[in-house]
Amino acid sequence: MATGGMDEASNMKVILKHYVSGSPQETDMHLTAGTIKLKVPKDSNSIILKNLYLSCDPYMIFKMMKLERQLTDPYVLGSPITGYGVAKVLDSAHPGFAMDDLVWGITGWEEYSLISDPKNFFKIQHTDVPLSYYAGILGMPGITAYIGFYELCAPKKGDYVFVSAACGAVGQLVGQFAKLHGCHVVGSAGSPEKVDILKNKFGFDEAFNYKDEPNFDATLKRHCPEGIDIYFDNVGGKMLDAVLLNLRPHARIAVCGMISQYNREQPDGIQNLSSMVLKEARMQGYLATNYYHLYPKYLEIILPLIKESKVVYVEDVADGLENAPKALVGIFSGRNIGKQVVAVNCL
């Protein structure tokens, strides 16, 4: 159980001050200093982690809220917020983890974390790729893209694929998977810079800035004149409603997220669901955590694609825990370009 050094360390943490409604602000969080013992408690299965990278993900907004119908357990006020992260094991009383192991899983937004039950952590075996990738392409966002596209949408060569929020952590992968599969791919994003990345870095056939488009139905008819076989939905709302008017027969929709709706007091209604019947289409929401048993299969597929540069991944890395609140808030306004990660500690 040696930690190879100090028995106690200072520990900066990101704390949620109060539950939020609407768009989260940096002022909803604050940094506080504390200390942490770097030895695991006796007679426990705990591990002590040195957090290296933290992942900023849209689902975290639900944990920042106190809702009448709670979708997930909210954060505990006064305690560090939590999310996916990449970390190094400093001490372990768990038989599955040893000192110096690298892992990814749900950890605290702090410099060091005591994890009482690490059963849901994944041990990192491949270190010849950037460790930050385990907060993105090799972590939860990566398997989310894989499951939604391949397992739920069952793509066929020649399918017409549309991806919203296509420059984000998940969307950029879905578009590249679709191109590798021989599909025609269109993406939407929120700035000219992101549109350029979609077309010139990720290889999308078409892309548009949704902020410049007053009529999404007309936009989709212009960019997807043949209609849409697969829609990978990251935004919901008016874009989803417009997609429903442009479906091809037997279209498939994977509902990964609805980020355009998360900070609205009154979400947009969907008017065009009758198209699902007329086109014999299928729409399915999903949680990636229910598919983690496929993670080894995903790694076998994605690692060679990364090493052969057949898939690229864009990250937006904020440096230091003090910049974590700004980074998290930014994903809800589209300020990030690519996967938003916070670098906390160096190895």
Side-chain angles (χ1 to χ4, degrees), residues 45-64:
N45 277 325
S46 303
I47 58 175
I48 298 285
L49 298 180
K50 178 182 181 180
N51 293 313
L52 306 176
Y53 295 98
L54 301 175
S55 176
C56 298
D57 295 303
Y59 81 87
M60 296 170 72
I61 193 171
F62 295 116
K63 299 181 77 66
M64 300 174 77

Side-chain angles (χ1 to χ4, degrees), residues 41 51 168 215 220 232 335:
N51 293 313
N215 185 324
L220 291 174
F232 196 95
R335 190 166 57 206

Side-chain angles (χ1 to χ4, degrees), residues 104-320:
W104 71 269
I106 298 289
T107 188
W109 273 40
E110 53 191 342
E111 293 176 284
Y112 302 92
S113 293
L114 169 64
I115 306 298
S116 299
D117 184 5
K119 65 181 180 182
N120 292 322
F121 273 78
F122 292 86
K123 196 180 297 187
I124 294 172
Q125 307 288 354
H126 304 274
T127 57
D128 52 347
V129 292
L131 281 178
S132 57
Y133 276 14
Y134 288 93
I137 186 173
L138 296 177
M140 183 273 289
I143 195 167
T144 297
Y146 170 78
I147 294 300
F149 184 65
Y150 286 110
E151 298 291 326
L152 301 189
C153 291
K156 301 185 295 290
K157 184 177 180 180
D159 275 346
Y160 292 88
V161 177
F162 174 51
V163 186
S164 56
C167 206
V170 176
Q172 60 175 293
L173 292 175
V174 173
Q176 292 179 81
F177 292 162
K179 286 301 298 178
L180 289 170
H181 204 75
C183 300
H184 182 89
V185 185
V186 177
S188 65
S191 73
E193 182 181 3
K194 291 180 181 181
V195 169
D196 181 70
I197 290 172
L198 292 181
K199 293 194 287 188
N200 297 315
K201 192 172 186 68
F202 301 144
F204 283 57
D205 296 288
E206 298 276 349
F208 62 88
N209 180 357
Y210 73 89
K211 293 180 181 178
D212 292 338
E213 303 293 341
N215 185 324
F216 290 159
D217 179 32
T219 302
L220 291 174
K221 284 180 166 58
R222 186 171 73 250
H223 288 278
C224 310
E226 304 295 329
I228 297 168
D229 291 297
I230 292 175
Y231 175 41
F232 196 95
D233 187 14
N234 290 303
V235 302
K238 294 178 180 178
M239 187 66 79
L240 172 58
D241 217 22
V243 167
L244 292 173
L245 294 174
N246 290 274
L247 296 178
R248 287 163 62 89
H250 307 290
R252 291 86 72 201
I253 300 174
V255 183
C256 174
M258 294 193 171
I259 197 168
S260 73
Q261 306 300 295
Y262 293 161
N263 55 11
R264 288 179 175 269
E265 291 186 9
Q266 184 62 46
D268 292 326
I270 302 299
Q271 308 298 319
N272 300 314
L273 281 174
S274 59
S275 295
M276 296 289 296
V277 178
L278 298 174
K279 297 296 183 178
E280 298 182 276
R282 175 167 52 85
M283 179 163 56
Q284 182 175 345
Y286 67 107
L287 297 173
T289 50
N290 292 330
Y291 295 87
Y292 277 173
H293 61 283
L294 296 177
Y295 183 63
K297 176 184 175 182
Y298 172 63
L299 284 184
E300 290 179 5
I301 294 170
I302 195 62
L303 283 167
L305 294 176
I306 293 172
K307 293 172 184 178
E308 295 167 16
S309 299
K310 292 181 178 178
V311 168
V312 297
Y313 200 60
V314 172
E315 298 175 299
D316 193 332
V317 181
D319 189 24

